Amino acid sequence: MFGPTAMSVEFEKFREVLDSRYSQDDIALIERAFEYAKEAHTGQVRVTGEPYFAHSSTVAAKLADLKLPSEVIAAGILHDVPEDTARTIDDISREFGEDIASMVGAVTKLGKVKYRGEDRYAENLRKMFVAMAQDVRVIFIKFADRMHNMETLYALEEKKRVRIAKEVLEIYAPIANRLGMGEYRGLFEDYAFKYLQPKEYSWTQHLLEERVKKFGPAMERALKNVDFELRKSGVQGVELHGRVKHCYSLHRKLLRYKSDISKVYDIVALRILVKDIPACYAALGILHGLYTPLPGRIKDYIAQPKPNGYQSLHTSVFDDQGSVLEFQIRTHQMHEETEYGVAAHWRYKESGTTPNERQVRWMEELAQIQKELSTTDFMQHLNELKLDMFSDRIFVFTPRGDVIDLPEHSTPIDLAYAIHSEIGNKAVQTRINGEIASLDTPLKSGDLCEIIVDRNRQLPNEDWLNFVKTRHAREKIKDALRGNKPGLWSSLMKHVR
Ligand code: MN
């Protein structure tokens, strides 16, 4: 029997990346976006020589890998349509609705943000941050987009490669980290490392390969053995796999240990995934019954999670031939959280009555955040959502509802100059969260800070130089003092007037 519509061969192939949890409606939407974008990009070619649409569908496939909702996948397929084809955002809105169009629009806007060195850094971060607070789905699309660009970075000229690799290392990887997306962070760092430090990269890569060769057979044996014993003991939901440390992460660790690789135990590790927390401890007990644990190497990150929320039991054991093997034991849910972080919250629930319950809750929370962008609760909400990403930056609100990001311990004077140098020069007083405060008070994230100016004031106070934290404020103060220090002549002229 034939279906209601004949699928194109290409979409038929793409469909294979969609797992069974996507409904007929989901698939119909994705197919519609697929054919629309394919047509729109007809004739366009990427620097790699592939048809442009291959990029769009790869980005969508990555979003499907994250098991994100169909609207996100559709927006992913369409993400370069308004920028690179004759079709506009309005066309997309008419065809696919407001929600998908707004994601595509936000990705397009973010695409215009380019890393050009230190001074642009804060602005990039802010834009990413705001996009994330408004709709974290946009960040997933941007991540998938950038990941495919990194995979094909070889096709660009050297200068561009370095610029993009730096941007990925400085902006994308830290954001992925703060969003708990371990897999994306690791891949971003490895790609950037490869282009920024090619020598160190290939040396570290070589170390990894050696290690895998050396420990492969022992791991294979242990894997079978442990799997058998866990199942025999009735531990539920057992799934085992090996994992190799990310290259850049090993590089960082080697720098810490002065290149002494013998101190790094977790280059290759075995992961045991089980059903629930009691099963984690049961598995640890069984494992220690099989192999002797290395003293001092047992870490219980379930009872005491890492600051970023990471949970697992870690242990290193001697196998029957004296090799040291590291095991990481966690529940499937902890695993999802570690690898996919915030994205894991966006997935369809594995089973249960309402498939989108969690997702809907996130939608609501994010919609709420958007509304609260101009209130002091904003930072607190973000923290609750584990989006507290910039530990060394603070975000301060102005009475107009603007969010200004500043280095830690910045003062109202730093804020005043960040808004405008005239506001800085004429500042006389400040109100922090409604209370009068002194101009050198260190600000905290979420503070609502108002600068009171005296329009008749001519010059900043030289003492401010003793406490301002930003270079920007310091320079503006010096400029004002230097430029406006009334010389004899001009002070005389004042009297004449
Ligand atoms: Mn793109």
Side-chain angles (χ1 to χ4, degrees):
M1 220 178 90
F2 292 98
T5 52
M7 276 182 192
S8 70
V9 180
E10 272 167 280
F11 185 70
E12 197 66 73
K13 198 157 165 270
F14 181 82
R15 225 191 120 154
E16 287 167 19
V17 305
L18 300 170
D19 78 7
S20 56
R21 71 187 89 197
Y22 293 98
S23 71
Q24 282 310 312
D25 284 352
D26 289 330
I27 292 170
L29 170 66
I30 296 168
E31 183 182 8
R32 215 148 51 79
F34 189 96
E35 299 301 343
Y36 185 92
K38 191 171 82 179
E39 214 239 275
H41 287 295
T42 302
Q44 294 175 346
V45 179
R46 289 189 93 213
V47 217
T48 53
E50 294 169 293
Y52 197 93
F53 183 66
H55 167 66
S56 315
S57 66
T58 306
V59 168
K62 288 181 189 304
L63 297 165
D65 264 350
L66 288 170
K67 303 190 176 65
L68 292 167
S70 54
E71 316 83 83
V72 185
I73 300 175
I77 298 174
L78 297 164
H79 83 275
D80 278 327
V81 166
E83 184 72 0
D84 296 329
T85 78
R87 308 272 160 83
T88 65
I89 279 284
D90 289 338
D91 295 332
I92 290 177
S93 179
R94 265 193 300 279
E95 199 70 36
F96 297 97
E98 196 50 47
D99 185 43
I100 288 177
S102 87
M103 283 188 264
V104 174
V107 174
T108 308
K109 255 190 242 157
L110 262 180
K112 300 208 167 83
V113 175
K114 293 214 168 61
Y115 181 86
R116 303 205 189 281
E118 278 304 313
D119 51 330
R120 304 288 292 172
Y121 181 59
E123 194 192 331
N124 284 326
L125 279 178
R126 188 163 59 235
K127 287 197 176 140
M128 290 289 270
F129 171 81
V130 168
M132 188 164 63
Q134 283 172 347
D135 190 343
V136 76
R137 299 174 303 170
V138 171
I139 297 294
F140 302 149
I141 299 170
K142 198 59 208 162
F143 275 10
D145 176 38
R146 184 49 62 94
M147 193 59 81
H148 186 234
N149 289 339
M150 292 310 277
E151 286 164 9
T152 52
L153 201 61
Y154 60 84
L156 299 185
E157 57 177 76
E158 166 86 14
K159 228 175 102 188
K160 270 192 176 167
R161 278 203 301 250
V162 169
R163 184 190 68 74
I164 293 172
K166 267 193 189 149
E167 183 175 85
V168 161
L169 194 64
E170 302 275 336
I171 297 175
Y172 284 73
I175 290 180
N177 182 36
R178 298 308 167 116
L179 289 175
M181 299 174 71
E183 183 60 18
Y184 267 76
R185 178 211 181 173
L187 289 171
F188 276 146
E189 286 179 345
D190 283 2
Y191 277 121
F193 186 34
K194 181 174 165 183
Y195 290 104
L196 293 175
Q197 293 174 277
K199 268 200 206 123
E200 288 84 348
Y201 174 82
S202 55
W203 185 74
T204 318
Q205 197 66 33
H206 177 72
L207 282 180
L208 282 175
E209 280 161 23
E210 293 280 282
R211 220 14 114 91
V212 171
K213 253 187 244 158
K214 192 172 160 205
F215 282 86
M219 286 179 64
E220 201 69 50
R221 272 198 313 276
L223 204 83
K224 283 199 185 116
N225 199 8
V226 172
D227 189 45
F228 178 78
E229 291 295 329
L230 292 177
R231 285 174 201 279
K232 200 176 77 182
S233 310
V235 177
Q236 297 286 298
V238 176
E239 202 184 299
L240 279 96
H241 59 257
R243 86 101 182 79
V244 179
K245 204 173 180 61
H246 279 290
C247 194
Y248 188 68
S249 156
L250 174 60
H251 170 71
R252 257 195 323 248
K253 210 158 191 177
L254 285 173
L255 290 180
R256 273 211 305 281
Y257 292 131
K258 305 203 164 47
S259 296
D260 184 356
I261 195 161
S262 68
K263 291 209 177 92
V264 186
Y265 292 111
D266 65 342
I267 295 177
V268 284
L270 289 164
R271 273 200 191 124
I272 303 176
L273 306 185
V274 294
K275 188 170 165 248
D276 50 22
I277 291 174
C280 290
Y281 291 102
L284 184 72
I286 292 163
L287 185 64
H288 285 170
L290 277 176
Y291 304 115
T292 312
L294 222 70
R297 294 280 311 163
I298 305 165
K299 294 194 189 107
D300 186 347
Y301 295 121
I302 291 180
Q304 282 177 309
K306 286 190 185 179
N308 65 3
Y310 176 82
Q311 287 190 299
S312 272
L313 301 174
H314 288 189
T315 184
S316 301
V317 301
F318 294 105
D319 76 350
D320 37 20
Q321 298 183 9
S323 306
V324 174
L325 300 177
E326 160 138 334
F327 280 87
Q328 302 172 347
I329 305 169
R330 53 176 78 147
T331 65
H332 291 273
Q333 199 194 331
M334 289 171 191
H335 183 65
E336 297 256 301
E337 297 264 350
T338 303
E339 302 283 291
Y340 309 111
V342 169
H345 294 278
W346 274 90
R347 291 166 171 234
Y348 285 12
K349 250 180 139 183
E350 302 289 339
S351 61
T353 45
T354 45
N356 294 342
E357 182 197 311
R358 248 196 135 156
Q359 177 195 334
V360 168
R361 206 170 64 229
W362 264 79
M363 286 275 223
E364 286 166 358
E365 281 171 7
L366 282 161
Q368 195 61 21
I369 277 187
Q370 232 169 310
K371 269 187 247 148
E372 289 171 359
L373 248 175
S374 56
T375 79
T376 48
D377 291 342
F378 176 57
M379 286 313 297
Q380 207 189 324
H381 272 267
L382 279 186
N383 285 338
E384 281 164 16
L385 292 167
K386 283 203 217 159
L387 297 178
D388 53 331
M389 27 180 312
F390 310 112
S391 56
D392 51 351
R393 308 287 299 181
I394 55 169
F395 293 85
V396 177
F397 296 90
T398 70
R400 281 178 42 199
D402 291 329
V403 188
I404 310 283
D405 70 329
L406 295 165
E408 255 184 332
H409 311 299
S410 287
T411 64
I413 291 298
D414 292 291
L415 175 74
Y417 280 100
I419 298 168
H420 195 281
S421 49
E422 272 308 286
I423 306 234
N425 291 339
K426 297 188 187 306
V428 286
Q429 241 186 2
T430 184
R431 236 178 253 134
I432 303 173
N433 304 323
E435 306 275 342
I436 293 285
S438 78
L439 289 168
D440 61 352
T441 312
L443 293 167
K444 295 186 305 301
S445 262
D447 278 345
L448 175 72
C449 182
E450 184 185 348
I451 306 292
I452 300 155
V453 295
D454 173 357
R455 272 186 302 144
N456 297 319
R457 180 170 188 150
Q458 294 299 318
L459 290 176
N461 187 333
E462 208 168 342
D463 296 342
W464 293 350
L465 290 170
N466 298 325
F467 62 74
V468 290
K469 289 290 172 298
T470 52
R471 208 181 58 181
H472 179 74
R474 187 174 312 269
E475 277 172 6
K476 290 293 173 193
I477 295 168
K478 282 188 189 155
D479 280 355
L481 292 172
R482 205 182 298 127
N484 288 313
K485 207 153 236 171
L488 181 60
W489 181 247
S490 61
S491 55
L492 283 175
M493 285 306 285
K494 232 182 236 170
H495 290 288
V496 174
R497 247 184 277 137

